[in-house]
Amino acid sequence: MRSTETERISTDPRRARRQERARGIADQAGGSLLGLISKLILLGIVDAIAVYAVIVLASFAEWGVLAIVAAVAILVNWIYFSRRALPAKYLAPGVIFLAVFQIFVLLYTGYIGFTNYGTGHNGSKDQAVAALLNSSLERVPDSPAYPVTVVESDGVLGLLVTTPDGDALVGTEEDPLSAVNASFDGDKAISADGWTSLQFADVLARQNEVTDLSVAFSDDPNDGRISTPDGSSAYRYTSTLDYEGDTLTDTATGVVYHDIGTGAFTADDGTEILPGWKVAVGVDNFVRAVTDDRLAKPLIYVTLWTFAFAFLTVALTFAIGLFLAITFNHKRMRGKKIYRSLLILPYAIPSFLSALVWAGMMNESFGFINQVLLGGASIPWLTDPWLAKASVLIVNIWLGFPYMFLVCTGALQSIPDELQEAATVDGANAWQTFRRIKLPLLLVSIAPLLISSFAFNFNNFNVVYMLTNGGPRDSSAPIPVGHTDILISMVYKIAFTGQTRDYGLASAYTIIIFVIVALISIIAFRRTKSLEELN
């Protein structure tokens, strides 16, 4: 009976269609529910990150960036909860990542290029004044000994100070002393509301932190600070520098330093005292980058070497890769797959690791090349300026030719055999066929890759840094630059090495590099377009 009913249902086309439609609706509802849950989870994560970012930015008073983050978060929620913004759902992630990792980085780099940001100029004016006053603190003569208790709140150490008048004050490294409700043991405050008092053993365990702790006596920086040498008694220290308005006076020498708008207090004879603070300097960094006599010489030879390095690398890797592609593209060659696999090994190994291996092999004293291949020779591959340049080129060509070999092989295989056969029938030899047919067609497809390869090698930081670190060092240059440095490695050294780090100048150089590469790419792509029109 059940079998008969099942057969009747299965043979009823209308009922079968209704059942199929019901199953489709159920599957769609289940998929929609799963999609909604996934969307809510992902948007919850995005909103949580946005809220955290807003809190952090508000604590640093970065109101402009805070407004942008809030606006983007609201826009993302509107896009993904709206039923009409379907294209935006696919475009939004890519646009956001482009804005964060490309546009923002470029704009922020440009902004830094118009400031004096660097060693001695990396904070605000208030921070600079506080640092200058703290660096010249001296104990006040006949300063009374203030009974103190070391306290802690949320991981922050503070000093609970008892004044000679019997008042209890508490302060931290960031916050000056202020009145607080406290409990006393005799004439000494031993605990305060909202603070945990450290026991003697805890003070001993954190002795370095306690002795380094310095608390401002009041909101006026000229009132000095309170410090304790032992965690039980504190003394007052005042600065030999007196700050008033936009002037800083050295009370020991009588020299007066003024804020003249350069981001540092400057005496009448031009002497600056550091640290200073970050200020906008307009195009000074860009002008200094190209006109400063001390920077002109290293900039010129580093720029020339950068162009030579990028051009020779692209030209030689393309020539070698094309030659190997033609060789191993011959139909009668046996074992082509094995040879091709061996040739791409340098491309498969991480470049920084390969550069380190080559640096070891090229070592003058115990490198494999000198000791084994050259029988104990002493050739300064990495310490002579010209040999170091040749070494960097050799290693970079070794790393780059497999890529050119792969793309040239693919391009050659895409050229129809009929063209070569037609050229042969017309009487063209192998060289004429290659020069007049294969090479022009090859360049049409390979030219954009050559342009991108040039741009990559123009900023090829890895091989230079890992192999020679830009050396050998040019001792006559005012900036830490070497004979194999290219522009990007020189920028890195200006920004992150040496005793003085000039982020503003480094950012100016970065913008200049960006403009150079952009112009070269535009010109090259226009040339590529003309090649396409010719073919």
PDB file of all heavy atoms in Angstrom, residues 179-212:
ATOM      1  N   ALA A 179      45.668  66.636  45.590  1.00  0.00           N
ATOM      2  CA  ALA A 179      45.145  66.206  46.885  1.00  0.00           C
ATOM      3  C   ALA A 179      44.330  64.934  46.758  1.00  0.00           C
ATOM      4  O   ALA A 179      43.669  64.691  45.739  1.00  0.00           O
ATOM      5  CB  ALA A 179      44.288  67.322  47.488  1.00  0.00           C
ATOM      6  N   VAL A 180      44.389  64.098  47.814  1.00  0.00           N
ATOM      7  CA  VAL A 180      43.693  62.827  47.796  1.00  0.00           C
ATOM      8  C   VAL A 180      43.293  62.464  49.213  1.00  0.00           C
ATOM      9  O   VAL A 180      43.940  62.886  50.194  1.00  0.00           O
ATOM     10  CB  VAL A 180      44.602  61.716  47.182  1.00  0.00           C
ATOM     11  CG1 VAL A 180      45.798  61.456  48.071  1.00  0.00           C
ATOM     12  CG2 VAL A 180      43.820  60.437  46.936  1.00  0.00           C
ATOM     13  N   ASN A 181      42.194  61.718  49.350  1.00  0.00           N
ATOM     14  CA  ASN A 181      41.797  61.217  50.662  1.00  0.00           C
ATOM     15  C   ASN A 181      42.715  60.063  51.059  1.00  0.00           C
ATOM     16  O   ASN A 181      42.861  59.092  50.315  1.00  0.00           O
ATOM     17  CB  ASN A 181      40.343  60.738  50.635  1.00  0.00           C
ATOM     18  CG  ASN A 181      39.370  61.886  50.429  1.00  0.00           C
ATOM     19  OD1 ASN A 181      39.595  62.996  50.919  1.00  0.00           O
ATOM     20  ND2 ASN A 181      38.284  61.614  49.709  1.00  0.00           N
ATOM     21  N   ALA A 182      43.342  60.185  52.223  1.00  0.00           N
ATOM     22  CA  ALA A 182      44.350  59.197  52.613  1.00  0.00           C
ATOM     23  C   ALA A 182      44.193  58.816  54.077  1.00  0.00           C
ATOM     24  O   ALA A 182      43.587  59.536  54.876  1.00  0.00           O
ATOM     25  CB  ALA A 182      45.752  59.753  52.363  1.00  0.00           C
ATOM     26  N   SER A 183      44.755  57.662  54.399  1.00  0.00           N
ATOM     27  CA  SER A 183      44.843  57.201  55.786  1.00  0.00           C
ATOM     28  C   SER A 183      46.266  57.412  56.279  1.00  0.00           C
ATOM     29  O   SER A 183      47.228  57.196  55.518  1.00  0.00           O
ATOM     30  CB  SER A 183      44.458  55.716  55.885  1.00  0.00           C
ATOM     31  OG  SER A 183      43.138  55.506  55.431  1.00  0.00           O
ATOM     32  N   PHE A 184      46.394  57.823  57.558  1.00  0.00           N
ATOM     33  CA  PHE A 184      47.708  58.188  58.095  1.00  0.00           C
ATOM     34  C   PHE A 184      48.120  57.200  59.178  1.00  0.00           C
ATOM     35  O   PHE A 184      47.282  56.630  59.894  1.00  0.00           O
ATOM     36  CB  PHE A 184      47.668  59.601  58.661  1.00  0.00           C
ATOM     37  CG  PHE A 184      47.579  60.681  57.614  1.00  0.00           C
ATOM     38  CD1 PHE A 184      46.369  61.000  57.029  1.00  0.00           C
ATOM     39  CD2 PHE A 184      48.726  61.385  57.240  1.00  0.00           C
ATOM     40  CE1 PHE A 184      46.283  61.995  56.070  1.00  0.00           C
ATOM     41  CE2 PHE A 184      48.645  62.381  56.290  1.00  0.00           C
ATOM     42  CZ  PHE A 184      47.427  62.703  55.700  1.00  0.00           C
ATOM     43  N   ASP A 185      49.416  57.031  59.265  1.00  0.00           N
ATOM     44  CA  ASP A 185      50.041  56.330  60.388  1.00  0.00           C
ATOM     45  C   ASP A 185      50.983  57.331  61.030  1.00  0.00           C
ATOM     46  O   ASP A 185      52.119  57.508  60.591  1.00  0.00           O
ATOM     47  CB  ASP A 185      50.795  55.095  59.904  1.00  0.00           C
ATOM     48  CG  ASP A 185      51.419  54.316  61.056  1.00  0.00           C
ATOM     49  OD1 ASP A 185      51.152  54.673  62.231  1.00  0.00           O
ATOM     50  OD2 ASP A 185      52.191  53.378  60.786  1.00  0.00           O
ATOM     51  N   GLY A 186      50.486  58.011  62.047  1.00  0.00           N
ATOM     52  CA  GLY A 186      51.244  59.110  62.622  1.00  0.00           C
ATOM     53  C   GLY A 186      51.201  60.295  61.697  1.00  0.00           C
ATOM     54  O   GLY A 186      50.129  60.777  61.309  1.00  0.00           O
ATOM     55  N   ASP A 187      52.375  60.784  61.288  1.00  0.00           N
ATOM     56  CA  ASP A 187      52.452  61.945  60.398  1.00  0.00           C
ATOM     57  C   ASP A 187      52.649  61.550  58.932  1.00  0.00           C
ATOM     58  O   ASP A 187      52.928  62.408  58.092  1.00  0.00           O
ATOM     59  CB  ASP A 187      53.613  62.851  60.823  1.00  0.00           C
ATOM     60  CG  ASP A 187      53.387  63.453  62.202  1.00  0.00           C
ATOM     61  OD1 ASP A 187      52.200  63.625  62.568  1.00  0.00           O
ATOM     62  OD2 ASP A 187      54.390  63.743  62.890  1.00  0.00           O
ATOM     63  N   LYS A 188      52.497  60.285  58.623  1.00  0.00           N
ATOM     64  CA  LYS A 188      52.769  59.816  57.262  1.00  0.00           C
ATOM     65  C   LYS A 188      51.527  59.175  56.656  1.00  0.00           C
ATOM     66  O   LYS A 188      50.891  58.320  57.274  1.00  0.00           O
ATOM     67  CB  LYS A 188      53.926  58.811  57.271  1.00  0.00           C
ATOM     68  CG  LYS A 188      54.270  58.253  55.908  1.00  0.00           C
ATOM     69  CD  LYS A 188      55.404  57.243  55.983  1.00  0.00           C
ATOM     70  CE  LYS A 188      55.748  56.657  54.616  1.00  0.00           C
ATOM     71  NZ  LYS A 188      56.854  55.676  54.686  1.00  0.00           N
ATOM     72  N   ALA A 189      51.179  59.613  55.417  1.00  0.00           N
ATOM     73  CA  ALA A 189      50.077  58.989  54.689  1.00  0.00           C
ATOM     74  C   ALA A 189      50.538  57.630  54.186  1.00  0.00           C
ATOM     75  O   ALA A 189      51.586  57.511  53.538  1.00  0.00           O
ATOM     76  CB  ALA A 189      49.643  59.872  53.527  1.00  0.00           C
ATOM     77  N   ILE A 190      49.766  56.586  54.474  1.00  0.00           N
ATOM     78  CA  ILE A 190      50.186  55.227  54.127  1.00  0.00           C
ATOM     79  C   ILE A 190      49.273  54.567  53.083  1.00  0.00           C
ATOM     80  O   ILE A 190      49.633  53.558  52.489  1.00  0.00           O
ATOM     81  CB  ILE A 190      50.250  54.331  55.376  1.00  0.00           C
ATOM     82  CG1 ILE A 190      48.877  54.302  56.071  1.00  0.00           C
ATOM     83  CG2 ILE A 190      51.344  54.802  56.323  1.00  0.00           C
ATOM     84  CD1 ILE A 190      48.805  53.291  57.197  1.00  0.00           C
ATOM     85  N   SER A 191      48.104  55.128  52.836  1.00  0.00           N
ATOM     86  CA  SER A 191      47.207  54.579  51.821  1.00  0.00           C
ATOM     87  C   SER A 191      46.276  55.672  51.344  1.00  0.00           C
ATOM     88  O   SER A 191      46.030  56.658  52.060  1.00  0.00           O
ATOM     89  CB  SER A 191      46.396  53.395  52.363  1.00  0.00           C
ATOM     90  OG  SER A 191      45.548  53.804  53.420  1.00  0.00           O
ATOM     91  N   ALA A 192      45.779  55.506  50.121  1.00  0.00           N
ATOM     92  CA  ALA A 192      44.894  56.505  49.529  1.00  0.00           C
ATOM     93  C   ALA A 192      43.773  55.808  48.786  1.00  0.00           C
ATOM     94  O   ALA A 192      43.919  54.669  48.307  1.00  0.00           O
ATOM     95  CB  ALA A 192      45.685  57.419  48.589  1.00  0.00           C
ATOM     96  N   ASP A 193      42.625  56.483  48.690  1.00  0.00           N
ATOM     97  CA  ASP A 193      41.483  55.918  47.987  1.00  0.00           C
ATOM     98  C   ASP A 193      41.824  55.692  46.517  1.00  0.00           C
ATOM     99  O   ASP A 193      42.315  56.589  45.819  1.00  0.00           O
ATOM    100  CB  ASP A 193      40.279  56.877  48.096  1.00  0.00           C
ATOM    101  CG  ASP A 193      39.784  57.015  49.525  1.00  0.00           C
ATOM    102  OD1 ASP A 193      40.168  56.175  50.359  1.00  0.00           O
ATOM    103  OD2 ASP A 193      39.025  57.978  49.797  1.00  0.00           O
ATOM    104  N   GLY A 194      41.522  54.471  46.033  1.00  0.00           N
ATOM    105  CA  GLY A 194      41.765  54.149  44.635  1.00  0.00           C
ATOM    106  C   GLY A 194      43.174  53.693  44.331  1.00  0.00           C
ATOM    107  O   GLY A 194      43.500  53.426  43.171  1.00  0.00           O
ATOM    108  N   TRP A 195      44.036  53.586  45.346  1.00  0.00           N
ATOM    109  CA  TRP A 195      45.426  53.196  45.145  1.00  0.00           C
ATOM    110  C   TRP A 195      45.768  52.017  46.057  1.00  0.00           C
ATOM    111  O   TRP A 195      45.216  51.894  47.143  1.00  0.00           O
ATOM    112  CB  TRP A 195      46.368  54.362  45.441  1.00  0.00           C
ATOM    113  CG  TRP A 195      46.209  55.516  44.494  1.00  0.00           C
ATOM    114  CD1 TRP A 195      45.313  56.532  44.608  1.00  0.00           C
ATOM    115  CD2 TRP A 195      46.954  55.752  43.310  1.00  0.00           C
ATOM    116  NE1 TRP A 195      45.446  57.406  43.559  1.00  0.00           N
ATOM    117  CE2 TRP A 195      46.459  56.951  42.738  1.00  0.00           C
ATOM    118  CE3 TRP A 195      47.987  55.078  42.664  1.00  0.00           C
ATOM    119  CZ2 TRP A 195      46.972  57.482  41.555  1.00  0.00           C
ATOM    120  CZ3 TRP A 195      48.509  55.604  41.488  1.00  0.00           C
ATOM    121  CH2 TRP A 195      47.989  56.792  40.944  1.00  0.00           C
ATOM    122  N   THR A 196      46.706  51.201  45.593  1.00  0.00           N
ATOM    123  CA  THR A 196      47.201  50.081  46.385  1.00  0.00           C
ATOM    124  C   THR A 196      48.614  50.397  46.849  1.00  0.00           C
ATOM    125  O   THR A 196      49.494  50.699  46.021  1.00  0.00           O
ATOM    126  CB  THR A 196      47.220  48.777  45.567  1.00  0.00           C
ATOM    127  OG1 THR A 196      45.897  48.492  45.111  1.00  0.00           O
ATOM    128  CG2 THR A 196      47.735  47.619  46.407  1.00  0.00           C
ATOM    129  N   SER A 197      48.836  50.367  48.151  1.00  0.00           N
ATOM    130  CA  SER A 197      50.164  50.666  48.687  1.00  0.00           C
ATOM    131  C   SER A 197      51.076  49.449  48.541  1.00  0.00           C
ATOM    132  O   SER A 197      50.682  48.314  48.835  1.00  0.00           O
ATOM    133  CB  SER A 197      50.065  51.067  50.163  1.00  0.00           C
ATOM    134  OG  SER A 197      49.254  52.214  50.319  1.00  0.00           O
ATOM    135  N   LEU A 198      52.311  49.689  48.073  1.00  0.00           N
ATOM    136  CA  LEU A 198      53.289  48.614  47.916  1.00  0.00           C
ATOM    137  C   LEU A 198      53.971  48.324  49.245  1.00  0.00           C
ATOM    138  O   LEU A 198      54.330  49.260  49.989  1.00  0.00           O
ATOM    139  CB  LEU A 198      54.335  48.986  46.872  1.00  0.00           C
ATOM    140  CG  LEU A 198      54.043  48.555  45.424  1.00  0.00           C
ATOM    141  CD1 LEU A 198      52.784  49.229  44.895  1.00  0.00           C
ATOM    142  CD2 LEU A 198      55.240  48.862  44.521  1.00  0.00           C
ATOM    143  N   GLN A 199      54.139  47.051  49.552  1.00  0.00           N
ATOM    144  CA  GLN A 199      54.872  46.660  50.743  1.00  0.00           C
ATOM    145  C   GLN A 199      56.375  46.833  50.506  1.00  0.00           C
ATOM    146  O   GLN A 199      56.831  47.014  49.384  1.00  0.00           O
ATOM    147  CB  GLN A 199      54.550  45.205  51.112  1.00  0.00           C
ATOM    148  CG  GLN A 199      53.069  44.949  51.372  1.00  0.00           C
ATOM    149  CD  GLN A 199      52.531  45.788  52.520  1.00  0.00           C
ATOM    150  OE1 GLN A 199      53.187  45.939  53.562  1.00  0.00           O
ATOM    151  NE2 GLN A 199      51.326  46.349  52.341  1.00  0.00           N
ATOM    152  N   PHE A 200      57.132  46.758  51.598  1.00  0.00           N
ATOM    153  CA  PHE A 200      58.568  46.983  51.518  1.00  0.00           C
ATOM    154  C   PHE A 200      59.229  45.998  50.552  1.00  0.00           C
ATOM    155  O   PHE A 200      60.114  46.370  49.760  1.00  0.00           O
ATOM    156  CB  PHE A 200      59.193  46.864  52.914  1.00  0.00           C
ATOM    157  CG  PHE A 200      60.680  47.101  52.932  1.00  0.00           C
ATOM    158  CD1 PHE A 200      61.192  48.372  52.734  1.00  0.00           C
ATOM    159  CD2 PHE A 200      61.563  46.050  53.131  1.00  0.00           C
ATOM    160  CE1 PHE A 200      62.565  48.593  52.737  1.00  0.00           C
ATOM    161  CE2 PHE A 200      62.926  46.258  53.134  1.00  0.00           C
ATOM    162  CZ  PHE A 200      63.439  47.533  52.947  1.00  0.00           C
ATOM    163  N   ALA A 201      58.796  44.744  50.583  1.00  0.00           N
ATOM    164  CA  ALA A 201      59.376  43.728  49.692  1.00  0.00           C
ATOM    165  C   ALA A 201      59.078  44.056  48.227  1.00  0.00           C
ATOM    166  O   ALA A 201      59.921  43.851  47.347  1.00  0.00           O
ATOM    167  CB  ALA A 201      58.844  42.347  50.056  1.00  0.00           C
ATOM    168  N   ASP A 202      57.865  44.572  47.978  1.00  0.00           N
ATOM    169  CA  ASP A 202      57.509  44.942  46.606  1.00  0.00           C
ATOM    170  C   ASP A 202      58.355  46.124  46.116  1.00  0.00           C
ATOM    171  O   ASP A 202      58.767  46.179  44.957  1.00  0.00           O
ATOM    172  CB  ASP A 202      56.030  45.295  46.513  1.00  0.00           C
ATOM    173  CG  ASP A 202      55.143  44.113  46.886  1.00  0.00           C
ATOM    174  OD1 ASP A 202      55.544  42.971  46.575  1.00  0.00           O
ATOM    175  OD2 ASP A 202      54.078  44.340  47.485  1.00  0.00           O
ATOM    176  N   VAL A 203      58.613  47.075  47.009  1.00  0.00           N
ATOM    177  CA  VAL A 203      59.440  48.227  46.644  1.00  0.00           C
ATOM    178  C   VAL A 203      60.859  47.774  46.303  1.00  0.00           C
ATOM    179  O   VAL A 203      61.460  48.232  45.327  1.00  0.00           O
ATOM    180  CB  VAL A 203      59.458  49.260  47.784  1.00  0.00           C
ATOM    181  CG1 VAL A 203      60.453  50.383  47.487  1.00  0.00           C
ATOM    182  CG2 VAL A 203      58.061  49.832  47.999  1.00  0.00           C
ATOM    183  N   LEU A 204      61.387  46.835  47.090  1.00  0.00           N
ATOM    184  CA  LEU A 204      62.730  46.318  46.803  1.00  0.00           C
ATOM    185  C   LEU A 204      62.755  45.585  45.469  1.00  0.00           C
ATOM    186  O   LEU A 204      63.724  45.700  44.702  1.00  0.00           O
ATOM    187  CB  LEU A 204      63.179  45.380  47.927  1.00  0.00           C
ATOM    188  CG  LEU A 204      63.520  46.038  49.277  1.00  0.00           C
ATOM    189  CD1 LEU A 204      63.922  44.973  50.289  1.00  0.00           C
ATOM    190  CD2 LEU A 204      64.628  47.062  49.102  1.00  0.00           C
ATOM    191  N   ALA A 205      61.705  44.815  45.177  1.00  0.00           N
ATOM    192  CA  ALA A 205      61.663  44.066  43.924  1.00  0.00           C
ATOM    193  C   ALA A 205      61.575  44.979  42.704  1.00  0.00           C
ATOM    194  O   ALA A 205      62.030  44.621  41.621  1.00  0.00           O
ATOM    195  CB  ALA A 205      60.488  43.093  43.938  1.00  0.00           C
ATOM    196  N   ARG A 206      60.995  46.164  42.894  1.00  0.00           N
ATOM    197  CA  ARG A 206      60.841  47.107  41.773  1.00  0.00           C
ATOM    198  C   ARG A 206      61.651  48.370  42.026  1.00  0.00           C
ATOM    199  O   ARG A 206      61.232  49.479  41.693  1.00  0.00           O
ATOM    200  CB  ARG A 206      59.366  47.437  41.589  1.00  0.00           C
ATOM    201  CG  ARG A 206      58.497  46.203  41.412  1.00  0.00           C
ATOM    202  CD  ARG A 206      57.018  46.514  41.362  1.00  0.00           C
ATOM    203  NE  ARG A 206      56.653  47.287  40.199  1.00  0.00           N
ATOM    204  CZ  ARG A 206      55.399  47.621  39.877  1.00  0.00           C
ATOM    205  NH1 ARG A 206      54.390  47.204  40.663  1.00  0.00           N
ATOM    206  NH2 ARG A 206      55.137  48.326  38.803  1.00  0.00           N
ATOM    207  N   GLN A 207      62.824  48.191  42.595  1.00  0.00           N
ATOM    208  CA  GLN A 207      63.641  49.329  43.029  1.00  0.00           C
ATOM    209  C   GLN A 207      63.986  50.260  41.875  1.00  0.00           C
ATOM    210  O   GLN A 207      63.944  51.484  42.033  1.00  0.00           O
ATOM    211  CB  GLN A 207      64.907  48.823  43.705  1.00  0.00           C
ATOM    212  CG  GLN A 207      65.774  49.934  44.289  1.00  0.00           C
ATOM    213  CD  GLN A 207      66.969  49.386  45.060  1.00  0.00           C
ATOM    214  OE1 GLN A 207      67.162  48.182  45.131  1.00  0.00           O
ATOM    215  NE2 GLN A 207      67.749  50.266  45.644  1.00  0.00           N
ATOM    216  N   ASN A 208      64.344  49.691  40.738  1.00  0.00           N
ATOM    217  CA  ASN A 208      64.723  50.539  39.605  1.00  0.00           C
ATOM    218  C   ASN A 208      63.562  51.406  39.143  1.00  0.00           C
ATOM    219  O   ASN A 208      63.734  52.590  38.830  1.00  0.00           O
ATOM    220  CB  ASN A 208      65.227  49.672  38.450  1.00  0.00           C
ATOM    221  CG  ASN A 208      66.552  49.003  38.756  1.00  0.00           C
ATOM    222  OD1 ASN A 208      67.333  49.503  39.568  1.00  0.00           O
ATOM    223  ND2 ASN A 208      66.827  47.874  38.105  1.00  0.00           N
ATOM    224  N   GLU A 209      62.373  50.820  39.095  1.00  0.00           N
ATOM    225  CA  GLU A 209      61.203  51.595  38.704  1.00  0.00           C
ATOM    226  C   GLU A 209      60.907  52.701  39.706  1.00  0.00           C
ATOM    227  O   GLU A 209      60.563  53.828  39.325  1.00  0.00           O
ATOM    228  CB  GLU A 209      59.980  50.683  38.585  1.00  0.00           C
ATOM    229  CG  GLU A 209      60.042  49.649  37.471  1.00  0.00           C
ATOM    230  CD  GLU A 209      58.779  48.811  37.428  1.00  0.00           C
ATOM    231  OE1 GLU A 209      57.709  49.365  37.105  1.00  0.00           O
ATOM    232  OE2 GLU A 209      58.859  47.604  37.746  1.00  0.00           O
ATOM    233  N   VAL A 210      61.063  52.387  40.970  1.00  0.00           N
ATOM    234  CA  VAL A 210      60.751  53.366  42.016  1.00  0.00           C
ATOM    235  C   VAL A 210      61.726  54.525  41.981  1.00  0.00           C
ATOM    236  O   VAL A 210      61.342  55.699  42.060  1.00  0.00           O
ATOM    237  CB  VAL A 210      60.745  52.682  43.396  1.00  0.00           C
ATOM    238  CG1 VAL A 210      60.613  53.726  44.513  1.00  0.00           C
ATOM    239  CG2 VAL A 210      59.612  51.665  43.487  1.00  0.00           C
ATOM    240  N   THR A 211      63.009  54.226  41.883  1.00  0.00           N
ATOM    241  CA  THR A 211      64.012  55.302  41.890  1.00  0.00           C
ATOM    242  C   THR A 211      63.959  56.140  40.616  1.00  0.00           C
ATOM    243  O   THR A 211      64.349  57.315  40.632  1.00  0.00           O
ATOM    244  CB  THR A 211      65.424  54.722  42.076  1.00  0.00           C
ATOM    245  OG1 THR A 211      65.662  53.732  41.066  1.00  0.00           O
ATOM    246  CG2 THR A 211      65.565  54.085  43.453  1.00  0.00           C
ATOM    247  N   ASP A 212      63.495  55.537  39.499  1.00  0.00           N
ATOM    248  CA  ASP A 212      63.374  56.309  38.253  1.00  0.00           C
ATOM    249  C   ASP A 212      62.104  57.147  38.213  1.00  0.00           C
ATOM    250  O   ASP A 212      61.968  58.020  37.343  1.00  0.00           O
ATOM    251  CB  ASP A 212      63.377  55.361  37.047  1.00  0.00           C
ATOM    252  CG  ASP A 212      64.739  54.719  36.823  1.00  0.00           C
ATOM    253  OD1 ASP A 212      65.734  55.264  37.343  1.00  0.00           O
ATOM    254  OD2 ASP A 212      64.798  53.659  36.153  1.00  0.00           O
TER     255      ASP A 212
END
